[in-house]
Amino acid sequence: SAVISQKPSRDICQRGTSLTIQCQVDSQVTMMFWYRQQPGQSLTLIATANQGSEATYESGFVIDKFPISRPNLTFSTLTVSNMSPEDSSIYLCSASLTSGRLAVGAGELFFGEGSRLTVL
Amino acid sequence: QQPVQSPQAVILREGEDAVINCSSSKALYSVHWYRQKHGEAPVFLMILLKGGEQKGHEKISASFNEKKQQSSLYLTASQLSYSGTYFCGTALRDDKIIFGKGTRLHILP
């Protein structure tokens, strides 16, 4: 299993500012992902954090708005840039370990507790 | 492509059974089920691989029909602790999971 720590757990930000969320995993994982979840809504995949290279973004998400880093196997950051009230959400870091029966990346997802951002 | 879950919400009395369905228009590699309680992170329940396998977790089991690209989650003799939102996640490739909109399950004593 993997334990994921995220910080900050919550923050209130001003419009136009940027905030970086940190994600630390207690073991080496193969895949790391960033999701966004509006209260009461589904989990929307923002991007796959790739170690040592540019993240892979999903449709509707761009690097200039959500720059992501993953310098090693256990740490990743997500920055929400030039924030607007529409960016108010819970941002979740998740990680996957390789399963013996599955190819890399399709294993169980572990989630951090999330970072609740409120943009005024 | 986001999988489609049904129903959107279910209200049960303790001890009753429920079925939650998940379907996709794409050929799936695997189906994942998670439960999220209010204010908490999603928690993994099980993974099903293509091949029509069925798995169980306590009184919760699931099936995956590869031909129909459908999966169902079965909750039998539901307990109060089963309350929460259930998400199915589908993997088209083996590297990322896309989640459905979720099914809210509320268990009454």
Side-chain angles (χ1 to χ4, degrees):
Chain A
S1 65
V3 177
I4 301 178
S5 301
Q6 268 185 250
K7 59 180 181 181
S9 58
R10 59 178 62 231
D11 207 339
I12 299 174
C13 307
Q14 295 297 319
R15 181 196 298 262
T17 62
S18 299
L19 181 76
T20 296
I21 303 169
Q22 298 181 0
C23 176
Q24 179 71 55
V25 189
D26 70 343
S27 57
Q28 292 190 345
V29 293
T30 53
M31 308 291 290
M32 292 185 74
F33 306 92
W34 287 96
Y35 286 87
R36 183 170 72 181
Q37 186 176 35
Q38 303 280 0
Q41 302 298 315
S42 182
L43 301 140
T44 301
L45 181 63
I46 298 172
T48 303
N50 300 310
Q51 185 204 354
S53 64
E54 191 173 290
T56 305
Y57 290 85
E58 296 300 304
S59 176
F61 298 95
V62 295
I63 187 170
D64 290 344
K65 176 67 175 177
F66 298 100
I68 290 171
S69 76
R70 188 182 174 189
N72 55 53
L73 287 174
T74 64
F75 185 78
S76 178
T77 66
L78 167 72
T79 299
V80 186
S81 303
N82 188 25
M83 287 185 284
S84 66
E86 292 70 36
D87 295 321
S88 297
S89 189
I90 300 171
Y91 292 84
L92 291 152
C93 172
S94 67
S96 175
L97 300 171
T98 302
S99 168
R101 291 186 58 203
L102 303 175
V104 170
E108 170 186 355
L109 279 184
F110 300 92
F111 286 89
E113 292 299 315
S115 299
R116 181 183 292 269
L117 266 55
T118 302
V119 184
L120 303 177
Chain B
Q1 188 93 20
Q2 185 177 41
V4 177
Q5 281 187 241
S6 64
Q8 291 184 328
V10 183
I11 299 176
L12 297 175
R13 292 207 173 272
E14 199 172 7
E16 293 182 337
D17 302 339
V19 180
I20 301 172
N21 300 303
C22 176
S23 65
S24 174
S25 60
K26 301 283 188 180
L28 300 177
Y29 180 89
S30 60
V31 178
H32 303 236
W33 286 97
Y34 292 77
R35 177 171 62 207
Q36 185 178 32
K37 293 185 178 290
H38 183 69
E40 300 180 6
V43 174
F44 169 79
L45 293 177
M46 64 190 76
I47 296 174
L48 299 105
L49 305 178
K50 60 182 180 179
E53 71 171 26
Q54 193 158 350
K55 301 186 77 171
H57 175 76
E58 297 176 344
K59 293 183 180 179
I60 301 174
S61 62
S63 62
F64 177 23
N65 187 321
E66 179 186 353
K67 288 184 178 180
K68 293 184 177 181
Q69 305 306 324
Q70 293 176 347
S71 178
S72 294
L73 185 71
Y74 308 95
L75 299 97
T76 58
S78 58
Q79 306 169 14
L80 292 175
S81 62
Y82 288 179
S83 290
T85 301
Y86 289 77
F87 292 100
C88 79
T90 53
L92 300 181
R93 306 190 309 271
D94 57 356
D95 60 354
K96 65 181 183 181
I97 298 170
I98 305 299
F99 288 94
K101 292 187 176 181
T103 297
R104 295 189 179 189
L105 178 65
H106 188 61
I107 311 294
L108 300 173

